[in-house]
PDB file of all heavy atoms in Angstrom:
ATOM      1  N   HIS A 294     -80.108 -46.433  19.050  1.00 92.00           N
ATOM      2  CA  HIS A 294     -78.863 -45.620  19.133  1.00 92.00           C
ATOM      3  C   HIS A 294     -77.642 -46.405  19.185  1.00 92.00           C
ATOM      4  O   HIS A 294     -77.567 -47.352  20.105  1.00 92.00           O
ATOM      5  CB  HIS A 294     -78.988 -44.740  20.375  1.00 92.00           C
ATOM      6  CG  HIS A 294     -77.892 -43.756  20.503  1.00 92.00           C
ATOM      7  ND1 HIS A 294     -76.632 -44.060  20.766  1.00 92.00           N
ATOM      8  CD2 HIS A 294     -77.882 -42.371  20.265  1.00 92.00           C
ATOM      9  CE1 HIS A 294     -75.889 -42.920  20.763  1.00 92.00           C
ATOM     10  NE2 HIS A 294     -76.571 -41.901  20.560  1.00 92.00           N
ATOM     11  N   ALA A 295     -76.795 -46.254  18.201  1.00 92.00           N
ATOM     12  CA  ALA A 295     -75.544 -47.043  18.174  1.00 92.00           C
ATOM     13  C   ALA A 295     -74.361 -46.101  18.408  1.00 92.00           C
ATOM     14  O   ALA A 295     -74.230 -45.034  17.908  1.00 92.00           O
ATOM     15  CB  ALA A 295     -75.404 -47.761  16.771  1.00 92.00           C
ATOM     16  N   GLN A 296     -73.428 -46.596  19.317  1.00 89.00           N
ATOM     17  CA  GLN A 296     -72.235 -45.839  19.535  1.00 89.00           C
ATOM     18  C   GLN A 296     -71.061 -46.537  18.763  1.00 89.00           C
ATOM     19  O   GLN A 296     -70.945 -47.765  18.959  1.00 89.00           O
ATOM     20  CB  GLN A 296     -71.944 -45.810  21.081  1.00 89.00           C
ATOM     21  CG  GLN A 296     -72.904 -44.835  21.776  1.00 89.00           C
ATOM     22  CD  GLN A 296     -72.484 -44.610  23.213  1.00 89.00           C
ATOM     23  OE1 GLN A 296     -71.653 -45.380  23.767  1.00 89.00           O
ATOM     24  NE2 GLN A 296     -73.087 -43.661  23.882  1.00 89.00           N
ATOM     25  N   VAL A 297     -70.302 -45.628  18.122  1.00 88.00           N
ATOM     26  CA  VAL A 297     -69.207 -46.267  17.273  1.00 88.00           C
ATOM     27  C   VAL A 297     -67.909 -45.685  17.827  1.00 88.00           C
ATOM     28  O   VAL A 297     -67.716 -44.417  18.060  1.00 88.00           O
ATOM     29  CB  VAL A 297     -69.372 -45.869  15.831  1.00 88.00           C
ATOM     30  CG1 VAL A 297     -68.211 -46.482  14.961  1.00 88.00           C
ATOM     31  CG2 VAL A 297     -70.744 -46.285  15.268  1.00 88.00           C
ATOM     32  N   GLY A 298     -66.934 -46.562  18.071  1.00 85.00           N
ATOM     33  CA  GLY A 298     -65.619 -46.172  18.575  1.00 85.00           C
ATOM     34  C   GLY A 298     -64.484 -46.468  17.511  1.00 85.00           C
ATOM     35  O   GLY A 298     -64.697 -47.314  16.666  1.00 85.00           O
ATOM     36  N   THR A 299     -63.395 -45.811  17.775  1.00 85.00           N
ATOM     37  CA  THR A 299     -62.224 -46.153  16.928  1.00 85.00           C
ATOM     38  C   THR A 299     -61.686 -47.468  17.184  1.00 85.00           C
ATOM     39  O   THR A 299     -61.497 -47.896  18.346  1.00 85.00           O
ATOM     40  CB  THR A 299     -61.146 -45.067  17.067  1.00 85.00           C
ATOM     41  OG1 THR A 299     -61.706 -43.754  16.765  1.00 85.00           O
ATOM     42  CG2 THR A 299     -60.016 -45.315  16.133  1.00 85.00           C
ATOM     43  N   VAL A 300     -61.370 -48.272  16.174  1.00 83.00           N
ATOM     44  CA  VAL A 300     -60.784 -49.585  16.316  1.00 83.00           C
ATOM     45  C   VAL A 300     -59.336 -49.426  16.884  1.00 83.00           C
ATOM     46  O   VAL A 300     -58.491 -48.639  16.368  1.00 83.00           O
ATOM     47  CB  VAL A 300     -60.730 -50.304  15.024  1.00 83.00           C
ATOM     48  CG1 VAL A 300     -60.005 -51.698  15.155  1.00 83.00           C
ATOM     49  CG2 VAL A 300     -62.161 -50.561  14.447  1.00 83.00           C
ATOM     50  N   ARG A 301     -59.069 -50.061  18.040  1.00 86.00           N
ATOM     51  CA  ARG A 301     -57.707 -50.017  18.699  1.00 86.00           C
ATOM     52  C   ARG A 301     -56.779 -51.113  18.321  1.00 86.00           C
ATOM     53  O   ARG A 301     -55.589 -50.939  18.442  1.00 86.00           O
ATOM     54  CB  ARG A 301     -57.933 -49.939  20.167  1.00 86.00           C
ATOM     55  CG  ARG A 301     -58.860 -48.798  20.686  1.00 86.00           C
ATOM     56  CD  ARG A 301     -58.277 -47.477  20.293  1.00 86.00           C
ATOM     57  NE  ARG A 301     -59.102 -46.420  20.756  1.00 86.00           N
ATOM     58  CZ  ARG A 301     -58.939 -45.105  20.406  1.00 86.00           C
ATOM     59  NH1 ARG A 301     -57.976 -44.794  19.627  1.00 86.00           N
ATOM     60  NH2 ARG A 301     -59.767 -44.210  20.785  1.00 86.00           N
ATOM     61  N   ASP A 302     -57.347 -52.274  17.870  1.00 86.00           N
ATOM     62  CA  ASP A 302     -56.455 -53.360  17.514  1.00 86.00           C
ATOM     63  C   ASP A 302     -55.685 -53.092  16.241  1.00 86.00           C
ATOM     64  O   ASP A 302     -56.247 -52.787  15.199  1.00 86.00           O
ATOM     65  CB  ASP A 302     -57.235 -54.597  17.340  1.00 86.00           C
ATOM     66  CG  ASP A 302     -56.509 -55.859  17.079  1.00 86.00           C
ATOM     67  OD1 ASP A 302     -55.962 -56.430  18.007  1.00 86.00           O
ATOM     68  OD2 ASP A 302     -56.265 -56.204  15.913  1.00 86.00           O
ATOM     69  N   ALA A 303     -54.346 -53.164  16.351  1.00 90.00           N
ATOM     70  CA  ALA A 303     -53.420 -52.869  15.284  1.00 90.00           C
ATOM     71  C   ALA A 303     -53.666 -53.689  14.033  1.00 90.00           C
ATOM     72  O   ALA A 303     -53.668 -53.250  12.844  1.00 90.00           O
ATOM     73  CB  ALA A 303     -51.996 -52.894  15.626  1.00 90.00           C
ATOM     74  N   GLU A 304     -53.901 -55.005  14.281  1.00 89.00           N
ATOM     75  CA  GLU A 304     -54.124 -55.938  13.095  1.00 89.00           C
ATOM     76  C   GLU A 304     -55.420 -55.578  12.409  1.00 89.00           C
ATOM     77  O   GLU A 304     -55.494 -55.551  11.103  1.00 89.00           O
ATOM     78  CB  GLU A 304     -54.179 -57.371  13.586  1.00 89.00           C
ATOM     79  CG  GLU A 304     -52.869 -57.947  14.196  1.00 89.00           C
ATOM     80  CD  GLU A 304     -51.857 -58.082  13.106  1.00 89.00           C
ATOM     81  OE1 GLU A 304     -52.247 -58.280  11.880  1.00 89.00           O
ATOM     82  OE2 GLU A 304     -50.624 -58.048  13.341  1.00 89.00           O
ATOM     83  N   LEU A 305     -56.466 -55.253  13.173  1.00 88.00           N
ATOM     84  CA  LEU A 305     -57.695 -54.849  12.485  1.00 88.00           C
ATOM     85  C   LEU A 305     -57.612 -53.525  11.718  1.00 88.00           C
ATOM     86  O   LEU A 305     -58.170 -53.398  10.601  1.00 88.00           O
ATOM     87  CB  LEU A 305     -58.855 -54.738  13.512  1.00 88.00           C
ATOM     88  CG  LEU A 305     -59.542 -55.998  13.990  1.00 88.00           C
ATOM     89  CD1 LEU A 305     -60.627 -55.660  14.959  1.00 88.00           C
ATOM     90  CD2 LEU A 305     -60.154 -56.715  12.730  1.00 88.00           C
ATOM     91  N   ARG A 306     -56.812 -52.577  12.366  1.00 89.00           N
ATOM     92  CA  ARG A 306     -56.645 -51.233  11.613  1.00 89.00           C
ATOM     93  C   ARG A 306     -55.898 -51.552  10.315  1.00 89.00           C
ATOM     94  O   ARG A 306     -56.248 -50.927   9.253  1.00 89.00           O
ATOM     95  CB  ARG A 306     -55.806 -50.357  12.482  1.00 89.00           C
ATOM     96  CG  ARG A 306     -56.645 -49.914  13.731  1.00 89.00           C
ATOM     97  CD  ARG A 306     -55.695 -49.213  14.733  1.00 89.00           C
ATOM     98  NE  ARG A 306     -55.385 -47.802  14.197  1.00 89.00           N
ATOM     99  CZ  ARG A 306     -55.928 -46.732  14.704  1.00 89.00           C
ATOM    100  NH1 ARG A 306     -56.751 -46.819  15.752  1.00 89.00           N
ATOM    101  NH2 ARG A 306     -55.559 -45.528  14.320  1.00 89.00           N
ATOM    102  N   VAL A 307     -54.829 -52.446  10.273  1.00 92.00           N
ATOM    103  CA  VAL A 307     -54.109 -52.688   9.031  1.00 92.00           C
ATOM    104  C   VAL A 307     -55.043 -53.389   7.981  1.00 92.00           C
ATOM    105  O   VAL A 307     -55.073 -53.044   6.798  1.00 92.00           O
ATOM    106  CB  VAL A 307     -52.980 -53.613   9.336  1.00 92.00           C
ATOM    107  CG1 VAL A 307     -52.334 -54.151   8.004  1.00 92.00           C
ATOM    108  CG2 VAL A 307     -51.884 -52.871  10.151  1.00 92.00           C
ATOM    109  N   LYS A 308     -55.915 -54.311   8.545  1.00 91.00           N
ATOM    110  CA  LYS A 308     -56.875 -54.987   7.559  1.00 91.00           C
ATOM    111  C   LYS A 308     -57.814 -53.890   6.967  1.00 91.00           C
ATOM    112  O   LYS A 308     -58.140 -53.987   5.678  1.00 91.00           O
ATOM    113  CB  LYS A 308     -57.613 -56.001   8.277  1.00 91.00           C
ATOM    114  CG  LYS A 308     -58.593 -56.755   7.325  1.00 91.00           C
ATOM    115  CD  LYS A 308     -59.334 -57.937   8.119  1.00 91.00           C
ATOM    116  CE  LYS A 308     -60.204 -58.669   7.158  1.00 91.00           C
ATOM    117  NZ  LYS A 308     -60.948 -59.772   7.845  1.00 91.00           N
ATOM    118  N   ILE A 309     -58.341 -53.014   7.769  1.00 90.00           N
ATOM    119  CA  ILE A 309     -59.251 -51.912   7.242  1.00 90.00           C
ATOM    120  C   ILE A 309     -58.562 -51.105   6.182  1.00 90.00           C
ATOM    121  O   ILE A 309     -59.086 -50.825   5.171  1.00 90.00           O
ATOM    122  CB  ILE A 309     -59.788 -51.099   8.418  1.00 90.00           C
ATOM    123  CG1 ILE A 309     -60.683 -51.904   9.342  1.00 90.00           C
ATOM    124  CG2 ILE A 309     -60.523 -49.922   7.857  1.00 90.00           C
ATOM    125  CD1 ILE A 309     -61.039 -51.239  10.582  1.00 90.00           C
ATOM    126  N   VAL A 310     -57.346 -50.735   6.470  1.00 92.00           N
ATOM    127  CA  VAL A 310     -56.612 -49.887   5.499  1.00 92.00           C
ATOM    128  C   VAL A 310     -56.309 -50.615   4.205  1.00 92.00           C
ATOM    129  O   VAL A 310     -56.480 -50.037   3.101  1.00 92.00           O
ATOM    130  CB  VAL A 310     -55.205 -49.463   6.138  1.00 92.00           C
ATOM    131  CG1 VAL A 310     -54.349 -48.786   5.020  1.00 92.00           C
ATOM    132  CG2 VAL A 310     -55.458 -48.538   7.316  1.00 92.00           C
ATOM    133  N   GLU A 311     -55.957 -51.931   4.262  1.00 92.00           N
ATOM    134  CA  GLU A 311     -55.708 -52.692   3.115  1.00 92.00           C
ATOM    135  C   GLU A 311     -57.002 -52.963   2.289  1.00 92.00           C
ATOM    136  O   GLU A 311     -56.962 -52.862   1.043  1.00 92.00           O
ATOM    137  CB  GLU A 311     -55.055 -54.067   3.463  1.00 92.00           C
ATOM    138  CG  GLU A 311     -53.692 -53.977   4.033  1.00 92.00           C
ATOM    139  CD  GLU A 311     -53.085 -55.288   4.559  1.00 92.00           C
ATOM    140  OE1 GLU A 311     -53.989 -56.301   4.704  1.00 92.00           O
ATOM    141  OE2 GLU A 311     -51.912 -55.376   4.700  1.00 92.00           O
ATOM    142  N   GLU A 312     -58.056 -53.235   2.953  1.00 91.00           N
ATOM    143  CA  GLU A 312     -59.352 -53.384   2.296  1.00 91.00           C
ATOM    144  C   GLU A 312     -59.804 -52.156   1.559  1.00 91.00           C
ATOM    145  O   GLU A 312     -60.220 -52.126   0.364  1.00 91.00           O
ATOM    146  CB  GLU A 312     -60.466 -53.879   3.215  1.00 91.00           C
ATOM    147  CG  GLU A 312     -60.258 -55.235   3.864  1.00 91.00           C
ATOM    148  CD  GLU A 312     -60.731 -56.277   3.064  1.00 91.00           C
ATOM    149  OE1 GLU A 312     -60.024 -56.787   2.079  1.00 91.00           O
ATOM    150  OE2 GLU A 312     -61.966 -56.751   3.232  1.00 91.00           O
ATOM    151  N   ARG A 313     -59.656 -51.027   2.232  1.00 91.00           N
ATOM    152  CA  ARG A 313     -60.035 -49.777   1.535  1.00 91.00           C
ATOM    153  C   ARG A 313     -59.094 -49.448   0.435  1.00 91.00           C
ATOM    154  O   ARG A 313     -59.596 -48.888  -0.616  1.00 91.00           O
ATOM    155  CB  ARG A 313     -59.885 -48.606   2.653  1.00 91.00           C
ATOM    156  CG  ARG A 313     -60.459 -47.262   2.101  1.00 91.00           C
ATOM    157  CD  ARG A 313     -61.924 -47.293   1.894  1.00 91.00           C
ATOM    158  NE  ARG A 313     -62.359 -46.365   0.861  1.00 91.00           N
ATOM    159  CZ  ARG A 313     -63.591 -46.038   0.638  1.00 91.00           C
ATOM    160  NH1 ARG A 313     -64.549 -46.573   1.375  1.00 91.00           N
ATOM    161  NH2 ARG A 313     -63.942 -45.266  -0.316  1.00 91.00           N
ATOM    162  N   ALA A 314     -57.835 -49.663   0.502  1.00 93.00           N
ATOM    163  CA  ALA A 314     -56.899 -49.462  -0.643  1.00 93.00           C
ATOM    164  C   ALA A 314     -57.294 -50.335  -1.799  1.00 93.00           C
ATOM    165  O   ALA A 314     -57.276 -49.850  -2.948  1.00 93.00           O
ATOM    166  CB  ALA A 314     -55.461 -49.758  -0.218  1.00 93.00           C
ATOM    167  N   SER A 315     -57.699 -51.618  -1.558  1.00 92.00           N
ATOM    168  CA  SER A 315     -58.098 -52.499  -2.665  1.00 92.00           C
ATOM    169  C   SER A 315     -59.387 -51.985  -3.326  1.00 92.00           C
ATOM    170  O   SER A 315     -59.565 -52.065  -4.550  1.00 92.00           O
ATOM    171  CB  SER A 315     -58.348 -53.918  -2.103  1.00 92.00           C
ATOM    172  OG  SER A 315     -57.162 -54.410  -1.556  1.00 92.00           O
ATOM    173  N   PHE A 316     -60.257 -51.453  -2.554  1.00 92.00           N
ATOM    174  CA  PHE A 316     -61.527 -50.906  -3.089  1.00 92.00           C
ATOM    175  C   PHE A 316     -61.236 -49.749  -3.915  1.00 92.00           C
ATOM    176  O   PHE A 316     -61.737 -49.530  -5.013  1.00 92.00           O
ATOM    177  CB  PHE A 316     -62.521 -50.592  -1.966  1.00 92.00           C
ATOM    178  CG  PHE A 316     -63.727 -49.905  -2.445  1.00 92.00           C
ATOM    179  CD1 PHE A 316     -64.790 -50.628  -3.058  1.00 92.00           C
ATOM    180  CD2 PHE A 316     -63.972 -48.519  -2.336  1.00 92.00           C
ATOM    181  CE1 PHE A 316     -65.909 -50.000  -3.476  1.00 92.00           C
ATOM    182  CE2 PHE A 316     -65.070 -47.893  -2.666  1.00 92.00           C
ATOM    183  CZ  PHE A 316     -66.090 -48.647  -3.305  1.00 92.00           C
ATOM    184  N   ASP A 317     -60.400 -48.743  -3.434  1.00 92.00           N
ATOM    185  CA  ASP A 317     -60.058 -47.525  -4.165  1.00 92.00           C
ATOM    186  C   ASP A 317     -59.369 -47.867  -5.539  1.00 92.00           C
ATOM    187  O   ASP A 317     -59.628 -47.172  -6.490  1.00 92.00           O
ATOM    188  CB  ASP A 317     -59.262 -46.607  -3.328  1.00 92.00           C
ATOM    189  CG  ASP A 317     -59.974 -45.996  -2.197  1.00 92.00           C
ATOM    190  OD1 ASP A 317     -61.242 -46.004  -2.206  1.00 92.00           O
ATOM    191  OD2 ASP A 317     -59.410 -45.621  -1.173  1.00 92.00           O
ATOM    192  N   LYS A 318     -58.516 -48.904  -5.493  1.00 93.00           N
ATOM    193  CA  LYS A 318     -57.755 -49.263  -6.684  1.00 93.00           C
ATOM    194  C   LYS A 318     -58.630 -49.846  -7.760  1.00 93.00           C
ATOM    195  O   LYS A 318     -58.521 -49.608  -8.936  1.00 93.00           O
ATOM    196  CB  LYS A 318     -56.651 -50.225  -6.286  1.00 93.00           C
ATOM    197  CG  LYS A 318     -55.684 -50.675  -7.434  1.00 93.00           C
ATOM    198  CD  LYS A 318     -54.631 -51.495  -6.921  1.00 93.00           C
ATOM    199  CE  LYS A 318     -53.634 -51.904  -8.093  1.00 93.00           C
ATOM    200  NZ  LYS A 318     -52.563 -52.789  -7.662  1.00 93.00           N
ATOM    201  N   ASN A 319     -59.544 -50.812  -7.349  1.00 92.00           N
ATOM    202  CA  ASN A 319     -60.429 -51.441  -8.294  1.00 92.00           C
ATOM    203  C   ASN A 319     -61.799 -51.734  -7.613  1.00 92.00           C
ATOM    204  O   ASN A 319     -62.053 -52.792  -7.178  1.00 92.00           O
ATOM    205  CB  ASN A 319     -59.785 -52.779  -8.720  1.00 92.00           C
ATOM    206  CG  ASN A 319     -60.562 -53.503  -9.853  1.00 92.00           C
ATOM    207  OD1 ASN A 319     -61.508 -52.983 -10.306  1.00 92.00           O
ATOM    208  ND2 ASN A 319     -60.169 -54.695 -10.090  1.00 92.00           N
ATOM    209  N   PRO A 320     -62.572 -50.674  -7.652  1.00 91.00           N
ATOM    210  CA  PRO A 320     -63.949 -50.832  -6.992  1.00 91.00           C
ATOM    211  C   PRO A 320     -64.759 -52.022  -7.615  1.00 91.00           C
ATOM    212  O   PRO A 320     -65.396 -52.772  -6.802  1.00 91.00           O
ATOM    213  CB  PRO A 320     -64.635 -49.486  -7.219  1.00 91.00           C
ATOM    214  CG  PRO A 320     -63.547 -48.563  -7.584  1.00 91.00           C
ATOM    215  CD  PRO A 320     -62.460 -49.303  -8.198  1.00 91.00           C
ATOM    216  N   THR A 321     -64.818 -52.139  -8.894  1.00 91.00           N
ATOM    217  CA  THR A 321     -65.594 -53.229  -9.459  1.00 91.00           C
ATOM    218  C   THR A 321     -65.163 -54.586  -9.113  1.00 91.00           C
ATOM    219  O   THR A 321     -65.875 -55.469  -8.719  1.00 91.00           O
ATOM    220  CB  THR A 321     -65.581 -53.056 -11.037  1.00 91.00           C
ATOM    221  OG1 THR A 321     -66.040 -51.747 -11.351  1.00 91.00           O
ATOM    222  CG2 THR A 321     -66.532 -54.082 -11.599  1.00 91.00           C
ATOM    223  N   GLY A 322     -63.806 -54.791  -9.156  1.00 92.00           N
ATOM    224  CA  GLY A 322     -63.257 -56.086  -8.815  1.00 92.00           C
ATOM    225  C   GLY A 322     -63.437 -56.412  -7.304  1.00 92.00           C
ATOM    226  O   GLY A 322     -63.750 -57.531  -6.899  1.00 92.00           O
ATOM    227  N   PHE A 323     -63.329 -55.354  -6.472  1.00 93.00           N
ATOM    228  CA  PHE A 323     -63.467 -55.611  -5.044  1.00 93.00           C
ATOM    229  C   PHE A 323     -64.844 -55.957  -4.711  1.00 93.00           C
ATOM    230  O   PHE A 323     -65.156 -56.839  -3.901  1.00 93.00           O
ATOM    231  CB  PHE A 323     -63.042 -54.229  -4.282  1.00 93.00           C
ATOM    232  CG  PHE A 323     -63.079 -54.418  -2.780  1.00 93.00           C
ATOM    233  CD1 PHE A 323     -62.045 -54.955  -2.098  1.00 93.00           C
ATOM    234  CD2 PHE A 323     -64.195 -53.988  -2.059  1.00 93.00           C
ATOM    235  CE1 PHE A 323     -62.006 -55.065  -0.741  1.00 93.00           C
ATOM    236  CE2 PHE A 323     -64.211 -54.120  -0.655  1.00 93.00           C
ATOM    237  CZ  PHE A 323     -63.108 -54.637  -0.014  1.00 93.00           C
ATOM    238  N   ARG A 324     -65.839 -55.242  -5.357  1.00 92.00           N
ATOM    239  CA  ARG A 324     -67.334 -55.577  -5.085  1.00 92.00           C
ATOM    240  C   ARG A 324     -67.625 -56.970  -5.621  1.00 92.00           C
ATOM    241  O   ARG A 324     -68.356 -57.714  -4.893  1.00 92.00           O
ATOM    242  CB  ARG A 324     -68.170 -54.527  -5.800  1.00 92.00           C
ATOM    243  CG  ARG A 324     -68.187 -53.189  -5.081  1.00 92.00           C
ATOM    244  CD  ARG A 324     -68.991 -52.217  -5.951  1.00 92.00           C
ATOM    245  NE  ARG A 324     -70.249 -52.617  -6.356  1.00 92.00           N
ATOM    246  CZ  ARG A 324     -71.352 -52.612  -5.613  1.00 92.00           C
ATOM    247  NH1 ARG A 324     -71.323 -52.073  -4.452  1.00 92.00           N
ATOM    248  NH2 ARG A 324     -72.498 -53.046  -6.078  1.00 92.00           N
ATOM    249  N   HIS A 325     -66.995 -57.376  -6.718  1.00 92.00           N
ATOM    250  CA  HIS A 325     -67.237 -58.718  -7.225  1.00 92.00           C
ATOM    251  C   HIS A 325     -66.763 -59.758  -6.237  1.00 92.00           C
ATOM    252  O   HIS A 325     -67.323 -60.823  -6.225  1.00 92.00           O
ATOM    253  CB  HIS A 325     -66.569 -58.861  -8.599  1.00 92.00           C
ATOM    254  CG  HIS A 325     -66.850 -60.113  -9.229  1.00 92.00           C
ATOM    255  ND1 HIS A 325     -68.038 -60.533  -9.811  1.00 92.00           N
ATOM    256  CD2 HIS A 325     -66.071 -61.282  -9.398  1.00 92.00           C
ATOM    257  CE1 HIS A 325     -68.082 -61.728 -10.318  1.00 92.00           C
ATOM    258  NE2 HIS A 325     -66.886 -62.257 -10.063  1.00 92.00           N
ATOM    259  N   SER A 326     -65.696 -59.536  -5.578  1.00 92.00           N
ATOM    260  CA  SER A 326     -65.117 -60.485  -4.624  1.00 92.00           C
ATOM    261  C   SER A 326     -65.981 -60.759  -3.460  1.00 92.00           C
ATOM    262  O   SER A 326     -65.905 -61.736  -2.823  1.00 92.00           O
ATOM    263  CB  SER A 326     -63.713 -60.067  -4.134  1.00 92.00           C
ATOM    264  OG  SER A 326     -63.787 -58.933  -3.385  1.00 92.00           O
ATOM    265  N   TYR A 327     -66.880 -59.826  -3.149  1.00 92.00           N
ATOM    266  CA  TYR A 327     -67.798 -59.922  -2.030  1.00 92.00           C
ATOM    267  C   TYR A 327     -69.284 -60.181  -2.550  1.00 92.00           C
ATOM    268  O   TYR A 327     -70.215 -60.144  -1.797  1.00 92.00           O
ATOM    269  CB  TYR A 327     -67.832 -58.761  -1.189  1.00 92.00           C
ATOM    270  CG  TYR A 327     -66.677 -58.620  -0.231  1.00 92.00           C
ATOM    271  CD1 TYR A 327     -65.546 -57.986  -0.581  1.00 92.00           C
ATOM    272  CD2 TYR A 327     -66.770 -59.204   1.016  1.00 92.00           C
ATOM    273  CE1 TYR A 327     -64.449 -57.958   0.309  1.00 92.00           C
ATOM    274  CE2 TYR A 327     -65.739 -59.221   1.970  1.00 92.00           C
ATOM    275  CZ  TYR A 327     -64.591 -58.456   1.607  1.00 92.00           C
ATOM    276  OH  TYR A 327     -63.516 -58.500   2.437  1.00 92.00           O
ATOM    277  N   LYS A 328     -69.420 -60.508  -3.790  1.00 91.00           N
ATOM    278  CA  LYS A 328     -70.724 -60.692  -4.400  1.00 91.00           C
ATOM    279  C   LYS A 328     -71.495 -61.791  -3.762  1.00 91.00           C
ATOM    280  O   LYS A 328     -72.717 -61.679  -3.422  1.00 91.00           O
ATOM    281  CB  LYS A 328     -70.631 -60.878  -5.900  1.00 91.00           C
ATOM    282  CG  LYS A 328     -71.983 -61.034  -6.570  1.00 91.00           C
ATOM    283  CD  LYS A 328     -71.850 -61.216  -8.063  1.00 91.00           C
ATOM    284  CE  LYS A 328     -73.157 -61.416  -8.789  1.00 91.00           C
ATOM    285  NZ  LYS A 328     -72.964 -61.567 -10.253  1.00 91.00           N
ATOM    286  N   ALA A 329     -70.796 -62.966  -3.480  1.00 92.00           N
ATOM    287  CA  ALA A 329     -71.555 -64.195  -2.947  1.00 92.00           C
ATOM    288  C   ALA A 329     -71.989 -63.820  -1.532  1.00 92.00           C
ATOM    289  O   ALA A 329     -73.075 -64.181  -1.095  1.00 92.00           O
ATOM    290  CB  ALA A 329     -70.560 -65.374  -2.965  1.00 92.00           C
ATOM    291  N   GLU A 330     -71.153 -63.172  -0.722  1.00 92.00           N
ATOM    292  CA  GLU A 330     -71.506 -62.870   0.665  1.00 92.00           C
ATOM    293  C   GLU A 330     -72.636 -61.791   0.696  1.00 92.00           C
ATOM    294  O   GLU A 330     -73.535 -61.928   1.536  1.00 92.00           O
ATOM    295  CB  GLU A 330     -70.272 -62.319   1.487  1.00 92.00           C
ATOM    296  CG  GLU A 330     -69.246 -63.408   1.593  1.00 92.00           C
ATOM    297  CD  GLU A 330     -68.062 -62.819   2.375  1.00 92.00           C
ATOM    298  OE1 GLU A 330     -68.242 -61.780   3.083  1.00 92.00           O
ATOM    299  OE2 GLU A 330     -66.962 -63.367   2.274  1.00 92.00           O
ATOM    300  N   GLN A 331     -72.642 -60.933  -0.237  1.00 91.00           N
ATOM    301  CA  GLN A 331     -73.683 -59.912  -0.321  1.00 91.00           C
ATOM    302  C   GLN A 331     -75.064 -60.620  -0.696  1.00 91.00           C
ATOM    303  O   GLN A 331     -76.056 -60.316  -0.038  1.00 91.00           O
ATOM    304  CB  GLN A 331     -73.352 -58.829  -1.338  1.00 91.00           C
ATOM    305  CG  GLN A 331     -72.221 -57.927  -1.012  1.00 91.00           C
ATOM    306  CD  GLN A 331     -72.674 -56.863  -0.030  1.00 91.00           C
ATOM    307  OE1 GLN A 331     -72.424 -56.991   1.192  1.00 91.00           O
ATOM    308  NE2 GLN A 331     -73.256 -55.808  -0.463  1.00 91.00           N
TER     309      GLN A 331
END
Side-chain angles (χ1 to χ4, degrees):
H294 185 288
Q296 286 187 348
V297 182
T299 303
V300 177
R301 301 300 178 190
D302 183 81
E304 292 293 333
L305 277 181
R306 291 171 76 106
V307 170
K308 183 177 180 181
I309 294 170
V310 171
E311 291 176 344
E312 293 274 85
R313 185 69 208 191
S315 299
F316 175 77
D317 292 338
K318 183 178 180 180
N319 184 7
T321 304
F323 186 83
R324 284 172 53 82
H325 183 74
S326 66
Y327 280 92
K328 183 178 180 182
E330 294 181 21
Q331 291 283 98

